[in-house]
Each structure stands twice: as C-alpha cells, then as structure tokens.
Amino acid sequence: MVEFPHAAALSSLLTAVALLAVGCSSTAAQHESAGTEMLTVSVKETLPFDDTSFTQGLEVAPDGTLYVATGMEGESRIYRTSAQGEELASEDLEPDFFGEGITRVGDHLWQLTWQNNTAIKRDADTLAELERTSFDGEGWGLCHRQDANEVIFSDGTAELRRMDPDTLTERERFTVTRGGQPLEGINELECVGDDIYANIFTTTDIVRIDAETGSVEALIDASAVPNNASPDPNHVLNGIAFIPNSGNEFYLTGKRWPDMYRVTFEPK
C-alpha cells in the first residue's frame, strides 16, 4: 500500500477541501457573487504518458519538450521527454529524497523536495545538478514569472512565497484567498503572465490566481478529464503545464497516469 503523500498536511486540509466541494456544488449565481469565474476543461488530444511516473511537476520547454518531476522515496527523478513519450534525459534523486515541483528559469531549472528542505538547481538541457540550496518548511510546487523576475513557491498551505529565481532566496509571502477567505491546499503551480494556475490537493479542481493580489479569479472543474490510472487514492490529477505560443492550451496529467491531455479551459 503506497503511503499517501503529504499525509502530514492532509488533516489540516479536510475542512478546506470540504468547503471547496460545497462551493463546487452551489449555483452559478453564488459563484458569480463570490467573484469567481467558473470554467471547465475541454480535451483536444490524448497523448501517451509514463504510468510509472508519480508526477509532482510538469513543464513545457521552449522547444516543446516536457520536463517531468516525480516523487516517492527511492523512485524520485526528473526527466525530459517529447510530448509523444520519447525520453531524452533523466536524473535520479537520492533515495531518501521525495521529489516535488519544478520550474525552468532561463538555462537552469529548480527542483524541490518535499520534507528534505532542499532545492536542487539543474542545467536545463542535461539536467545535471549545478548546486543546492535550503528552504524552510515543506516544498510542493514551483513556477517562474519571467516578467516579474520571481519564482512562486507553494507549501500546501494557503500561502505562496516569492523567491529569487537565481538563488531561491525567499523575498516575501502572500495568501491565496477566495471570497476573502484563505484557500488551503495549493499544490502544483504554473505561471502564465499575471496568473498562477494551481491544482487543489486531493481534488480535481484547478484555480487561477491573480499573482499580485492572491485572489482566486477562476475555478476550473477538471473532473471530466479521464483518470485511467490503476485504482489508488494517490493517483490524482497533478501536473499542469502551459504550452508556449498556443494561446490557451495546457497539458494535464496525474500521478501514475498513462495519459496526458492537451486541453483548453472554457466557460462552464
């Protein structure tokens, strides 16, 4: 039986997840009154994916190849692959590391670990380790805001951190809110312009967050995206990657999912 990742945070998230579920079942008028746009996922293409990958981070490189970071102690690695599944490079983490989110910053990328307080800086092409740095608390997700010269860092709470893109030194923190209330369980991240997309831990919901204010602008219901992974409570949606020069297209996948989906987010 696989130990449920982020179990230490699970009990603190139950109330928040329940509240989110209630929100998802309420009327459109109630959502509009809360100032949240309601969106759904439209699947445009289904692509093969490595069903052994306990996906913790997903990102598309400028040349269209993908970076995938995986978790679980003794299994964590980072690899680069084509969208069709041809593996191009791979690096394993140390056996006692549980890999988490990644993001590319120019010619390097950052990879988090969950409870090891360690971030690894890697060459963006070869994935070779360049250096390491430490951070406080847990590491969950990362994304790079190029125009703002910052990396956004999640730790499973309602707080996000603004980090230096070269050193991963923390600059400040801000709170993600929906309807004025903190939204817990912010997990895997993707930065697109002035927005941050994040999946909510243990759910099929994705939120679009204003990167300056922390306010949730949109709630994306991804429950219709097929989950063809083997039955296991761990095998949830986890992997959001914007496709450059596509307009409004993303890749979505999950933990040990055999499929990756090219999608758009549309009005519900």
Side-chain angles (χ1 to χ4, degrees):
M1 182 67 179
V2 177
E3 180 182 358
F4 200 91
H6 301 151
L10 184 57
S11 61
S12 66
L13 294 178
L14 291 177
T15 300
V17 170
L19 288 173
L20 186 65
V22 170
C24 288
S25 63
S26 62
T27 66
Q30 287 174 314
H31 284 301
E32 289 170 359
S33 66
T36 306
E37 183 181 7
M38 298 302 297
L39 302 174
T40 189
V41 175
S42 175
V43 175
K44 306 300 182 183
E45 184 180 11
T46 302
L47 297 159
F49 199 71
D50 178 10
D51 64 2
T52 68
S53 291
F54 196 83
T55 306
Q56 300 289 72
L58 184 71
E59 184 153 341
V60 182
D63 65 0
T65 59
L66 285 88
Y67 297 103
V68 183
T70 75
M72 303 304 285
E73 292 180 357
E75 300 178 24
S76 296
R77 66 176 181 134
I78 182 171
Y79 63 96
R80 190 161 57 86
T81 179
S82 71
Q84 290 70 37
E86 179 188 1
E87 192 167 304
L88 305 171
S90 178
E91 289 289 335
D92 293 337
L93 273 70
E94 295 168 19
D96 59 338
F97 278 4
F98 193 120
E100 285 283 347
I102 54 172
T103 196
R104 177 167 173 161
V105 182
D107 60 0
H108 71 268
L109 58 82
W110 287 104
Q111 180 179 22
L112 295 181
T113 58
W114 176 27
Q115 295 180 320
N116 305 97
N117 309 112
T118 301
I120 302 171
K121 191 176 190 178
R122 298 185 179 277
D123 181 276
D125 291 326
T126 67
L127 305 182
E129 181 175 332
L130 301 175
E131 60 181 272
R132 296 186 180 188
T133 191
S134 61
F135 56 85
D136 294 330
E138 295 184 355
W140 286 40
L142 285 176
C143 66
H144 177 219
R145 295 185 67 214
Q146 183 173 354
D147 291 344
N149 190 36
E150 65 182 8
V151 164
I152 304 296
F153 175 117
S154 68
D155 58 14
T157 68
E159 281 194 329
L160 293 176
R161 312 181 195 184
R162 302 189 194 276
M163 317 288 274
D164 183 280
D166 293 319
T167 65
L168 218 63
T169 301
E170 184 176 332
R171 293 172 173 170
E172 65 174 5
R173 301 190 184 195
F174 63 103
T175 301
V176 176
T177 60
R178 179 164 180 257
Q181 299 301 311
L183 180 60
E184 300 280 340
I186 304 300
N187 194 6
E188 217 266 313
L189 305 177
E190 180 73 352
C191 291
V192 183
D194 294 328
D195 296 321
I196 303 167
Y197 290 81
N199 80 289
I200 305 300
F201 181 51
T202 75
T203 79
T204 56
D205 292 317
I206 299 168
V207 290
R208 191 183 75 223
I209 304 161
D210 184 304
E212 295 300 326
T213 67
S215 176
V216 172
E217 298 178 325
L219 177 62
I220 303 161
D221 178 5
S223 60
V225 176
N227 180 347
N228 295 316
S230 60
D232 189 309
N234 295 293
H235 296 170
V236 295
L237 174 76
N238 199 52
I240 311 166
F242 176 69
I243 304 173
N245 305 312
S246 67
N248 181 37
E249 292 189 347
F250 292 75
Y251 288 130
L252 295 182
T253 191
K255 300 178 181 184
R256 299 199 176 109
W257 282 23
D259 307 300
M260 181 177 71
Y261 301 95
R262 182 172 61 85
V263 306
T264 57
F265 302 142
E266 309 289 348
K268 195 168 184 179

